[in-house]
Amino acid sequence: MVPSNKYWFSVLVLTVILANAVAKKPHILYILMDDQGYGDVGYTNQTDDIKTPLLDKMAREGLILDRHYSTWMCTPTRASILTGKYHSKLGIQYGVFVPHTEQCLNKTELLLPEVVRHNGYATHLVGKWHLGYAHWHCMPCMRGFDTAYGFINGETDWLNHTCGGYHDFYECAYSAETGLRWDALTDDNGTYTQDLYSRRVKHLIQHHHHEQTPMFLYLSMQSVHEPYFAPAEYYDCTDNDRCTMQAMMNASEKLLEDVISHFKEAGMWDDTLVIYHSDNGAPNKNVASNGNLRGYKHSLWEGGLRTVGFLYSVNHQILRHRGRTSCYVHVSDWYQTIISITGGWEAYSNAADGNAMPAELDSIDQSSYLLSKSTNTCPRTSILLHMDPVKRIAAAIKNQYKLLIGNVVSDTTPCRATQYYELNLQSFNFTNVRMYNIFSDPNETTDISDDYPHIVSVISNYVRGTVNHQAPLQCQLPVDEDGYPNDDVPYYLPWL
């Protein structure tokens, strides 16, 4: 029997629908947790005292990133995500940006949202910035975000939204037509940050024309950073410190439930890709946990650098790769990966007269592997985890081996604010090393450097080969007295 014209017409229509579904650019919900440890979520099976049913469900139905690596603290990770470069290449690996100083991401760096916006996306930041604010060009709305809403510094109070006694909550917007709009928000004292974020996401989605414009939403969470706090209704217990972490994770999951609900109500959830990870491991506090991993935030052990992470989408055309991967993903990789997902470099290149991709990116485009597993070969086999010429320490991964160089345990050498520290081979003690097989020994219990000197040599040479590509390290700049809020201007804002 010969199929009818009606049959072939139906096949054609279905083919067009499926093709459009695949070709449609996904909305991207990028959730960056703050200080969430490897033992502060259920699906890692590192603890039995924290319950995270929503995150567990999303991780197990999506793609768990078993080997997701960050930097050892907040500012360097955020800088690496948004620039696609190792933090040592930016010269900011020693510590975090602090208030009242001129510390800021160099304005010559091309940030992720600037490229994504050229690919037709609406770009929004909700939450923590922590990449400097002395100049207006340091601020998110001058670096590619259409709007931003949240706080500037590294931490703030959950209810009164102050840092160091001064208000730190704002919103801004920028467009080529209207320029920059900036408002300090002082009317929400007493309102829990998570509730403010939910309200803001709802507002953004309600005013977004998703049929014409995809959305890139960078949800940079305050959770689960200090101060450790959650409203009473989120507590399941009160008899130990971990009860507070559970309460904070309950609140975080409630916010995520709200955000998902907002996306669903707008008809956007079925076309959304979720990227979820933490900016570093948990600090050395009784409230937080890295499970069985050794070390904490501010350290080069796995507990400081290996983080929770997963991808999720209800749409199997967006995320075809499901389950779990042990391939390495470094936070810098999200730069090239997201740019590829959102359309690549062509639009930005055309707008920039051919000046497209920045030189010497460390980011690897993992979109084909992570979304569809187009190959069984891991895109990344090595990571330069850290280089610090002040403490004279470094760390790198190659294949299943991790090499630590220098006194990574107890060096407390201070970084002088007025001095630049050049990186050179004399900056590091390559005779003081430890090496671990982090696949067979993930808790870093057995130093095997004496057993495999040839592998130590290979990784040491990898580190040596990167030295000339790193920027001079500049520590915390001197405090500028003009940078303090005051009685006339009682909130944080650029002053230069």
Side-chain angles (χ1 to χ4, degrees), residues 224-238:
V224 287
H225 197 287
E226 295 180 274
Y228 296 119
F229 169 82
E233 62 263 30
Y234 293 109
Y235 276 81
D236 298 327
C237 62
T238 57

Side-chain angles (χ1 to χ4, degrees), residues 339-365:
I339 288 172
S340 179
I341 292 170
T342 60
W345 284 95
E346 183 178 359
Y348 180 81
S349 179
N350 292 338
D353 297 323
N355 297 318
M357 191 184 307
E360 295 195 339
L361 288 176
D362 301 298
S363 180
I364 293 176
D365 176 7

Side-chain angles (χ1 to χ4, degrees), residues 36-224:
Q36 184 181 17
Y38 212 68
D40 292 334
V41 69
Y43 76 84
T44 58
N45 298 316
Q46 296 281 308
T47 182
D48 59 2
D49 61 352
I50 297 295
K51 310 300 180 186
T52 53
L54 177 58
L55 292 175
D56 296 351
K57 180 178 185 294
M58 293 175 69
R60 289 167 179 156
E61 292 180 0
L63 178 65
I64 294 173
L65 307 175
D66 242 359
R67 299 281 168 176
H68 187 275
Y69 283 83
S70 67
T71 77
W72 64 347
M73 62 183 74
C74 175
T75 295
T77 289
R78 292 160 201 274
S80 190
I81 292 168
L82 294 181
T83 65
K85 296 180 180 180
Y86 291 140
H87 57 307
S88 53
K89 189 169 287 183
L90 301 167
I92 59 171
Q93 65 269 46
Y94 185 84
V96 298
F97 289 176
V98 298
H100 326 305
T101 73
E102 293 186 39
Q103 290 174 299
C104 173
L105 269 183
N106 194 312
K107 63 181 179 182
T108 62
E109 297 293 340
L110 176 63
L111 301 197
L112 172 64
E114 298 181 63
V115 184
V116 170
R117 184 160 63 183
H118 276 86
N119 285 338
Y121 276 72
T123 57
H124 303 288
L125 163 64
V126 175
K128 176 175 172 176
W129 177 236
H130 207 190
L131 289 173
Y133 69 97
H135 300 266
W136 287 107
H137 69 70
C138 302
M139 297 300 294
C141 287
M142 300 301 288
R143 303 302 297 269
F145 285 103
D146 296 332
T147 72
Y149 173 95
F151 60 102
I152 294 172
N153 291 296
E155 64 179 71
T156 188
D157 186 86
W158 289 90
L159 294 176
N160 63 31
H161 315 297
T162 59
C163 174
Y166 294 101
H167 209 76
D168 186 7
F169 215 79
Y170 73 98
E171 67 174 330
C172 64
Y174 177 84
S175 70
E177 294 76 24
T178 62
L180 176 68
R181 177 179 61 81
W182 169 277
D183 292 304
L185 304 178
T186 59
D187 294 334
D188 289 311
N189 285 355
T191 303
Y192 186 41
T193 301
Q194 308 281 52
D195 296 334
L196 294 178
Y197 288 179
S198 175
R199 188 173 74 190
R200 177 65 174 190
V201 172
K202 183 176 183 178
H203 169 82
L204 290 173
I205 289 176
Q206 286 179 337
H207 292 81
H208 180 71
H209 303 290
H210 68 90
E211 292 296 339
Q212 294 79 36
T213 306
M215 176 184 286
F216 174 69
L217 176 56
Y218 181 43
L219 182 56
S220 181
M221 301 279 281
Q222 186 172 347
S223 293
V224 287

Side-chain angles (χ1 to χ4, degrees), residues 13-26 270-272 315-320:
V13 170
L14 180 60
T15 301
V16 170
I17 291 173
L18 291 175
N20 287 337
V22 174
K24 186 176 182 180
K25 292 181 178 179
D270 289 350
D271 299 312
T272 296
N315 189 332
H316 283 253
Q317 293 298 316
I318 293 174
L319 182 63
R320 295 189 290 276

